[in-house]
Amino acid sequence: MKLPLHLILGLWLTTNLFVWSQNGLPLESLKSYPFPNELTAAATGTRIAWAINQEGKRNIYVAEGPIFQAKRLTNYLQDDGQELSSVSLSADGKWVVYVRGGDHGSNWNDDLPVNPTFMPTPPKVQIWSIPFEGGNPRLLGDGETPVISPKSDKIAFSKGGQIYTAPVDGSQTATLLFSARGSNSSPVWSPDGSRLAFQSNRTDHSFIGVFTDSQNPIIWVDPQYKRDSSPRWSPDGKKLVFVRTNGLGGKPDSVLSRRLVPWHLMTTDLSTGETKTLWKSPNRLNGSLPTTHGGTNLHWAANRIVFLSYHDGWPHLYSLPEQGGSPLLLTSGNFMCEHIKLSSDGKSLVFSANAGNTPQDIDRRHVVKVSVDKADMQILTPGESLEWSPVVLGDAQSVAYISATAQRPPLVSIIAFKGGSSQNIALELIPVNFPTNDLVIPKQVTFKTPDGFTIHCQLFEKAGGAAKKPAIVYIHGGPPRQMLLGWHYSDYYANAYAMNQYLASKGFVVLSVNYRLGIGYGYEFHQPKNAGSNGASEYIDIKAAGEWLAKQPQIDPKRIGVYGGSYGGFLTALALGHDSKLFAAGVDVHGVHDRTIERTRNLMLPDQYEKAPDAARALEVAWKSSPIAYVNTWKSPVLFIHGDDDRNVRFSQTTDLVRRLEDQGTPIETMVIVDDTHHFMLHANQVKANKAIATFFEKKL
């Protein structure tokens, strides 16, 4: 008997739902989400551009108001591991400029090619432009960090420590703009496009230089025995403001003590050469040079100098009159400011913040705006969704940003500058088989550690299931990161969020831990005592998370695992070495395992007669802060995953630990990702690693 079509479809759907419930969500479908980043806007009009990574195919998209219909400009249709970065729009909106290649989230060699597809001739790291209206990309040169002139006619960029230039339309070959000692970078055009300010790093000191043309010598701005950085032009192009910190050197200080890093804001009049101190940071620990996103986030706005500082205990925005004076706090409250952008008219700032009306908002991001001259902060996107990376459009009437929820993956969105309802762009990029409604909504969990820290976590748990479930502690990397109650604004951590969803769909209860050293909870949380190589006090939070899980009635305390990448891999290894009785199995992805490497010589054999007064003690503490110090008590099975072109954590860190565990017979499994980096630039490699993690935990837990 032939069944009717509707019964066949119903049977297929019922069968597939049963398979999903037994085996979890299909990982390939879950990993098919589009991830937008590099959002930018033209200085005039309503044009925006951004990059999208979808299953490793990375392309440039654009849209224009009032319709904001997304259009793909490029045709990079292979999963080839070539990232797109430094996306920018010319002021007139006619050209999109971007860098293709490299790994610009690296700690070193970010400008070298990445070749995870093993091509005999590796790709290059190159700067390209493409017309907003469409056409073929045009090669501008090999290099990175391009900045477009305000005249929209040419770019300046860095290559090999020197500054080059090329016409934005690619009509001529890139040429060396000037040659100067040191490593020269961070070029910034003057408002009229006639001059270029830049930073010249000379190891123990750095200068701010100003280049005019080949007929005039470079101007060095108030050269001192200091490190100067972040030059910013005044709106009239006559002055500069920049950041000044101390040069390297001085009497060796305590290694184990927390140390103040003072900084000043300096202004210089280029016509007279007069330079003066505009503002000095407070002489206390939280007055140190900020280390959150964008650092000092220095801007010269309309008659105000705007900057970020941590000196009230949170990374907040301040502004000063051009002539100096007391800084005005623009943002107040227990939240941080990130992704800060100045409007093209210089009158307003937009940023993302973990601020809102509910206790859950400290674990989210929302778009906020504030004037540069008064504390009139307004949250533009309140609610249970997440929003980040805002930019004010050139007409100053709208704000573009990236938004997501706990279930819907990130998309570019538009909202009126005065607030109101929003418009999502490119919804059609979310595949029809993406399991949006099957994702769990993570719950906020907090607990106190034995030494008094309040720890925020996200709990991923599917309803129903066994009476006693296996559980996993997830540990983010960084460590200056914060995992959120929804999709993350980092590609790396969007993958982690998807992975936690995948594990939850397979019946695991996953607890994602925001441990001390992370951002989002104030200075003392971000810069705690005895952390990192000075004692690894952050491990207290990981152990407390495992113990919290063990006390939950639905959790089998004998089946608690732990996993994480980078700094999360380091803490995973510490957990397995310290507490194998608590953590039954773990996955260590490109973790650090010996914190004395690259530190021993500088501490014990410095290139000078003097040593730090606590050098020997600091070396001992660094050893005891390292997972390899606890190999003898490491009993739990572990899976190691590491890419051997890692430019953030040396591959040798895992090679060494694998040898030690093999020698003592600890059960280990390994996966090497050949010729890929810390960020698994090849989508197929990330899926491969994710599958290995899930399979390992299914076997062991």
Side-chain angles (χ1 to χ4, degrees):
M1 183 179 72
K2 186 177 288 187
L3 290 173
L5 180 60
H6 72 277
L7 288 181
I8 295 173
L9 290 173
L11 193 59
W12 179 90
L13 193 59
T14 301
T15 303
N16 278 274
L17 286 173
F18 177 77
V19 171
W20 281 26
S21 68
Q22 294 298 305
N23 299 325
L25 298 172
L27 182 58
E28 286 77 5
S29 296
L30 184 55
K31 282 289 293 170
S32 67
Y33 59 86
F35 188 84
N37 63 347
E38 299 285 328
L39 179 62
T40 187
T44 57
T46 59
R47 291 184 168 184
I48 58 174
W50 66 99
I52 285 184
N53 178 3
Q54 188 152 24
E55 297 180 278
K57 297 178 280 289
R58 299 169 171 91
N59 282 287
I60 299 295
Y61 282 74
V62 295
E64 183 176 11
I67 304 299
F68 294 109
Q69 178 65 46
K71 178 175 68 173
R72 176 165 58 85
L73 287 188
T74 55
N75 291 295
Y76 304 122
L77 304 180
Q78 301 297 318
D79 175 22
D80 57 9
Q82 303 308 302
E83 73 168 5
L84 302 183
S85 60
S86 296
V87 179
S88 57
L89 263 170
S90 58
D92 61 12
K94 293 181 179 180
W95 293 95
V96 183
V97 173
Y98 59 96
V99 175
R100 187 166 192 262
D103 183 0
H104 290 87
S106 297
N107 293 338
W108 64 83
N109 292 343
D110 59 356
D111 59 340
L112 293 186
V114 176
N115 188 21
T117 56
F118 320 129
M119 295 302 294
T121 302
K124 297 180 179 181
V125 181
Q126 296 177 317
I127 302 170
W128 297 81
S129 70
I130 189 167
F132 186 94
E133 299 292 351
N136 294 321
R138 306 178 186 197
L139 178 61
L140 304 187
D142 297 353
E144 57 181 347
T145 62
V147 288
I148 308 174
S149 165
K151 295 180 179 179
S152 302
D153 58 342
K154 57 187 175 182
I155 66 166
F157 63 95
S158 302
K159 178 185 174 183
Q162 299 295 338
I163 307 295
Y164 288 72
T165 188
V168 74
D169 61 3
S171 57
Q172 296 179 20
T173 303
T175 58
L176 181 68
L177 194 60
F178 61 86
S179 181
R181 287 186 59 245
S183 178
N184 304 292
S185 62
S186 306
V188 185
W189 291 102
S190 62
D192 64 358
S194 65
R195 291 183 289 179
L196 202 70
F198 63 97
Q199 177 184 347
S200 181
N201 185 2
R202 305 189 176 192
T203 309
D204 65 334
H205 65 286
S206 60
F207 300 141
I208 299 300
V210 176
F211 168 82
T212 302
D213 55 40
S214 59
Q215 306 304 312
N216 289 282
I218 292 170
I219 298 172
W220 298 109
V221 176
D222 190 37
Q224 299 290 336
Y225 298 89
K226 302 288 184 180
R227 289 196 287 184
D228 296 340
S229 62
S230 304
R232 302 290 184 264
W233 292 91
S234 61
D236 62 7
K238 296 180 179 180
K239 299 178 180 180
L240 285 173
V241 62
F242 58 94
V243 174
R244 171 165 287 174
T245 58
N246 288 329
L248 298 180
K251 182 179 179 180
D253 199 354
S254 167
V255 176
L256 294 172
S257 299
R258 293 192 294 174
R259 204 175 301 174
L260 170 68
V261 182
W263 57 291
H264 299 170
L265 292 179
M266 313 294 296
T267 57
T268 188
D269 186 322
L270 293 173
S271 61
T272 65
E274 179 186 3
T275 301
K276 65 178 183 179
T277 301
L278 187 71
W279 178 80
K280 292 184 178 181
S281 62
N283 190 30
R284 56 179 184 271
L285 281 174
N286 63 12
S288 295
L289 189 73
T291 56
T292 54
H293 183 269
T296 62
N297 285 277
L298 184 62
H299 295 90
W300 197 316
N303 303 315
R304 305 283 293 187
I305 309 295
V306 180
F307 63 96
L308 181 139
S309 177
Y310 232 139
H311 68 258
D312 75 343
W314 294 82
H316 282 155
L317 288 166
Y318 295 81
S319 75
L320 285 164
E322 292 179 351
Q323 65 273 16
S326 298
L328 169 66
L329 175 62
L330 299 176
T331 57
S332 61
N334 294 343
F335 61 85
M336 69 177 299
C337 303
E338 281 189 304
H339 315 131
I340 298 152
K341 291 291 180 69
L342 181 67
S343 61
S344 57
D345 62 8
K347 296 179 180 179
S348 303
L349 297 157
V350 289
F351 57 96
S352 58
N354 54 336
N357 300 322
T358 71
Q360 288 75 34
D361 282 318
I362 196 168
D363 294 319
R364 298 189 179 110
R365 291 293 184 274
H366 295 307
V367 172
V368 186
K369 71 172 182 177
V370 69
S371 301
V372 300
D373 58 352
K374 54 180 176 291
D376 57 355
M377 191 180 91
Q378 177 188 349
I379 298 176
L380 292 177
T381 60
E384 297 182 0
S385 56
L386 301 96
E387 301 85 21
W388 60 85
S389 299
V391 290
V392 181
L393 273 58
D395 65 354
Q397 300 299 307
S398 302
V399 178
Y401 58 94
I402 301 171
S403 71
T405 69
Q407 294 178 308
R408 176 182 59 75
L411 293 171
V412 172
S413 301
I414 298 286
I415 194 170
F417 189 66
K418 61 184 179 181
S421 59
S422 61
Q423 171 189 349
N424 292 326
I425 300 176
L427 268 166
E428 66 276 7
L429 292 179
I430 299 177
V432 293
N433 64 339
F434 183 81
T436 301
N437 296 326
D438 297 294
L439 303 189
V440 301
I441 298 176
K443 299 175 183 176
Q444 185 187 66
V445 167
T446 62
F447 56 79
K448 284 274 191 181
T449 63
D451 58 346
F453 276 80
T454 297
I455 304 301
H456 285 239
C457 309
Q458 298 84 44
L459 186 72
F460 297 76
E461 183 175 6
K462 187 175 69 171
K468 289 289 186 178
K469 302 176 182 179
I472 299 170
V473 172
Y474 168 71
I475 312 171
H476 68 72
R481 305 284 186 269
Q482 182 189 20
M483 298 305 289
L484 306 171
L485 289 166
W487 288 91
H488 201 274
Y489 52 80
S490 157
D491 200 348
Y492 185 98
Y493 293 108
N495 173 74
Y497 182 79
M499 188 61 194
N500 289 339
Q501 289 281 358
Y502 183 57
L503 292 170
S505 77
K506 297 178 82 66
F508 294 98
V509 176
V510 182
L511 187 68
S512 175
V513 185
N514 283 331
Y515 55 91
R516 75 190 74 175
L517 280 176
I519 59 174
Y521 307 106
Y523 182 84
E524 290 301 322
F525 193 92
H526 182 39
Q527 302 286 352
K529 296 178 181 177
N530 306 321
S533 57
N534 290 354
S537 62
E538 64 275 19
Y539 176 66
I540 296 170
D541 310 339
I542 306 307
K543 183 178 181 181
E547 292 173 336
W548 182 90
L549 277 172
K551 294 176 183 176
Q552 304 311 304
Q554 79 277 29
I555 303 300
D556 181 349
K558 294 182 180 180
R559 291 190 292 157
I560 297 176
V562 59
Y563 89 106
S566 195
Y567 209 91
F570 156 69
L571 288 170
T572 294
L574 270 186
L576 298 172
H578 269 288
D579 291 291
S580 278
K581 289 183 179 179
L582 176 59
F583 298 105
V587 180
D588 173 346
V589 186
H590 43 236
V592 175
H593 307 125
D594 184 351
R595 304 205 66 148
T596 69
I597 290 178
E598 300 177 354
R599 182 180 177 97
T600 305
R601 179 175 297 277
N602 289 336
L603 280 174
M604 303 309 297
L605 297 170
D607 189 23
Q608 61 189 73
Y609 174 78
E610 298 172 293
K611 289 194 293 189
D614 56 357
R617 172 65 179 156
L619 192 58
E620 176 72 14
V621 170
W623 169 255
K624 290 182 177 179
S625 303
S626 302
I628 60 171
Y630 306 96
V631 166
N632 292 340
T633 55
W634 187 321
K635 307 300 180 186
S636 298
V638 60
L639 167 64
F640 291 105
I641 302 175
H642 209 142
D644 83 326
D645 189 19
D646 196 318
R647 305 169 188 190
N648 294 72
V649 174
R650 309 257 180 218
F651 187 78
S652 59
Q653 288 274 343
T654 301
T655 304
D656 175 70
L657 181 53
V658 165
R659 283 287 309 274
R660 293 170 189 262
L661 292 175
E662 284 177 336
D663 289 346
Q664 74 168 21
T666 300
I668 68 170
E669 297 182 23
T670 61
M671 173 180 283
V672 174
I673 308 294
V674 179
D675 284 351
D676 210 339
T677 72
H678 196 73
H679 301 98
F680 298 145
M681 307 298 281
L682 201 69
H683 175 79
N685 284 340
Q686 185 67 77
V687 172
K688 178 182 176 182
N690 289 353
K691 286 182 176 179
I693 293 168
T695 300
F696 179 83
F697 280 132
E698 285 183 302
K699 288 190 300 183
K700 302 302 181 183
L701 301 182

